[in-house]
Amino acid sequence: MKRMLCLFLLVLLTAPVAFAEEASLSMRFVYDGVPPKPKRLVFRGVPLIVQDEKLLVDQQTKGIRNIVVQLYTGRGGSEVDVPPHDGVRQKLLVRNGRFDPHVLLTQKGDSLEIDNQGRLMHNVALNFFANTASIHLLKPGESFSLELEQPEPALIPIDCNINPWMRGFVVVVDHPYVAASDSDGRLKIEGLPVGQELVFRVRHEVGKIDQVTIEGQEVQWRRARFSVSLDPGENDLGDILVSPESFLN
């Protein structure tokens, strides 16, 4: 009997640990029309070397860049367990007349460092709602940091009051389930729970993405949100076609 108990305990100790099942969600946003040509920004009638980043569409694949999809946890949204987050230092660079990256994804508890790596002075304005809004004058080579203590309800614009054509965005969420589409329009969110309906929110700086086409069917995303139940492993929604009219708001 004692020997059998020892063997049973040995099996328990050496058996593989069963982890909770997780899922990933992928999709690709496609411009459903003739892609707009890249254009330079104009300031006081003078074309700049900086590209207009309000709507970036790949000329060959029609992929739309910088569409943000996040798990929506607000009223009527999803209730999920959020894994512990120690906070990381997120860096936003000021160089070549723009903010790099144009859209920065962060999480509550992170710190944000803005570093002027250019040759000009910039007066950087952070237009937060939940966190403290502030303005910082940065000479070349200077930087400043701040703590992101609260999630933000919208894409937060980052502007330069000296060079008014400059604008970027910071996304602050209270969980890790967020992604932005790349130059081909693709994005992927990993580590999602399975076995429940999840609500996602879709955002773009100039677009209102609530009417889309998926597999030839027109779909309405009320309030730019959609719901989906995920299977363990990979879940791919495929190409999501977005009409040009969505970017005229």
Side-chain angles (χ1 to χ4, degrees), residues 5 9 42 60 69 72 74 102 108 123-124 151 161 164:
L5 180 60
L9 292 175
V42 176
Q60 282 71 47
V69 178
Y72 178 68
H102 182 66
K108 171 187 172 183
N123 199 33
V124 179
N161 294 337

Side-chain angles (χ1 to χ4, degrees), residues 216-229:
Q217 299 294 321
E218 294 186 359
V219 179
Q220 182 177 12
W221 285 350
R222 188 169 178 267
R223 297 181 180 178
R225 301 172 193 168
F226 67 90
S227 302
V228 62
S229 295

Side-chain angles (χ1 to χ4, degrees), residues 20 22-23 32 42 67-68 72-73 81 96 121 124 138-139 154-155 164 172 174 176 193 218-219 224 234-236 240:
E22 292 183 348
D32 194 14
V42 176
I67 292 180
V68 177
Y72 178 68
T73 56
D81 294 328
N96 301 323
M121 182 180 296
V124 179
L138 291 181
K139 297 178 181 178
L155 305 181
V172 189
D174 55 1
E218 294 186 359
V219 179
E234 300 280 343
N235 296 261
D236 193 347
I240 298 173

Side-chain angles (χ1 to χ4, degrees), residues 103-248:
V103 176
L104 178 65
L105 305 179
T106 69
Q107 188 173 343
K108 171 187 172 183
D110 288 348
S111 61
L112 172 61
E113 179 183 357
I114 299 183
D115 185 5
N116 184 5
Q117 296 189 351
R119 294 179 294 177
L120 301 176
M121 182 180 296
H122 296 281
N123 199 33
V124 179
L126 299 125
N127 304 293
F128 289 119
F129 291 104
N131 295 282
T132 303
S134 59
I135 299 177
H136 301 265
L137 186 64
L138 291 181
K139 297 178 181 178
E142 290 186 339
S143 65
F144 72 92
S145 298
L146 54 89
E147 300 299 319
L148 301 173
E149 299 177 346
Q150 299 294 332
E152 292 287 344
L155 305 181
I156 300 301
I158 309 296
D159 298 301
C160 174
N161 294 337
I162 297 176
N163 303 302
W165 65 85
M166 291 177 59
R167 168 163 279 201
F169 292 86
V170 174
V171 179
V172 189
V173 292
D174 55 1
H175 54 70
Y177 310 120
V178 60
S181 57
D182 61 16
S183 59
D184 193 36
R186 300 183 186 276
L187 63 81
K188 184 176 184 178
I189 305 175
E190 298 184 291
L192 291 162
V194 300
Q196 67 182 93
E197 187 175 67
L198 300 175
V199 181
F200 292 88
R201 184 179 183 184
V202 185
R203 295 187 285 182
H204 183 269
E205 62 180 279
V206 297
K208 183 180 179 182
I209 303 176
D210 54 7
Q211 295 281 349
V212 299
T213 301
I214 303 175
E215 296 183 346
Q217 299 294 321
E218 294 186 359
V219 179
Q220 182 177 12
W221 285 350
R222 188 169 178 267
R223 297 181 180 178
R225 301 172 193 168
F226 67 90
S227 302
V228 62
S229 295
L230 303 178
D231 295 323
E234 300 280 343
N235 296 261
D236 193 347
L237 296 184
D239 286 355
I240 298 173
L241 278 59
V242 186
S243 69
E245 288 75 18
S246 297
F247 302 97
L248 299 178

Side-chain angles (χ1 to χ4, degrees), residues 11-24:
V11 170
L12 287 179
L13 292 174
T14 58
V17 178
F19 292 96
E21 291 182 308
E22 292 183 348
S24 65

